[in-house]
Amino acid sequence: MAITLVDPEGLPKVGAYRQVAVATGSRLVFVAGQVAWDADGATVGAGDLAAQVERCYLNVHTALASAGGTFADIAKLTVYVVDWTPDKMPHFLDGVARAAARLGETPAAPGTLVGVAALDVPEHLVEVEATAVLD
């Protein structure tokens, strides 16, 4: 693998992600923000944050696979959530766990969660983009 995930001493261990990703590969893969669309462009999980998070992560997986990558190759995730408040965290984590269970791999790359006012269409509650490094 081209990515080594690290939690350095002196920084908290969050559990849901690692604080640092060290990349040694030679190919960069930039995955556009993925929303809760199925292959036909229909929104999945309208009004359900966990379902939309799950679908976004599945879409990121599909995009990475097209370049020969997996979640283990992700150096950085950025997640945008509409009207984010901390009480939404259990729903967010449920969606990540559901995607991990379906894919058999747990996304743990360093990540940033950003609260936003809106996304591309009102039905979308979350968008996930990724940067990966492959050998």
Side-chain angles (χ1 to χ4, degrees):
M1 290 291 146
I3 301 292
T4 302
L5 300 177
V6 181
D7 277 327
E9 292 299 320
L11 293 178
K13 290 179 177 42
V14 178
Y17 62 89
R18 302 301 176 270
Q19 296 285 359
V20 176
V22 179
T24 58
S26 59
R27 290 191 316 143
L28 294 176
V29 178
F30 299 92
V31 177
Q34 296 297 305
V35 294
W37 276 332
D38 65 14
D40 296 321
T43 298
V44 174
D48 183 341
L49 180 61
Q52 288 201 16
V53 168
E54 177 184 10
R55 186 61 196 207
C56 289
Y57 275 73
L58 295 175
N59 288 350
V60 168
H61 170 79
T62 299
L64 286 171
S66 75
T70 69
F71 273 100
D73 299 307
I74 294 177
K76 177 76 166 70
L77 283 170
T78 305
V79 179
Y80 304 93
V81 182
V82 174
D83 296 327
W84 176 259
T85 55
D87 63 308
K88 293 181 180 181
M89 184 61 82
H91 302 288
F92 175 79
L93 293 175
D94 179 43
V96 173
R98 287 163 43 179
R102 286 185 63 183
L103 297 171
E105 58 182 330
T106 301
T112 300
L113 191 151
V114 181
V116 297
L119 291 170
D120 58 332
V121 296
E123 295 81 23
H124 291 157
L125 305 175
V126 62
E127 184 169 331
V128 180
E129 67 182 21
T131 302
V133 180
L134 286 74
D135 287 323

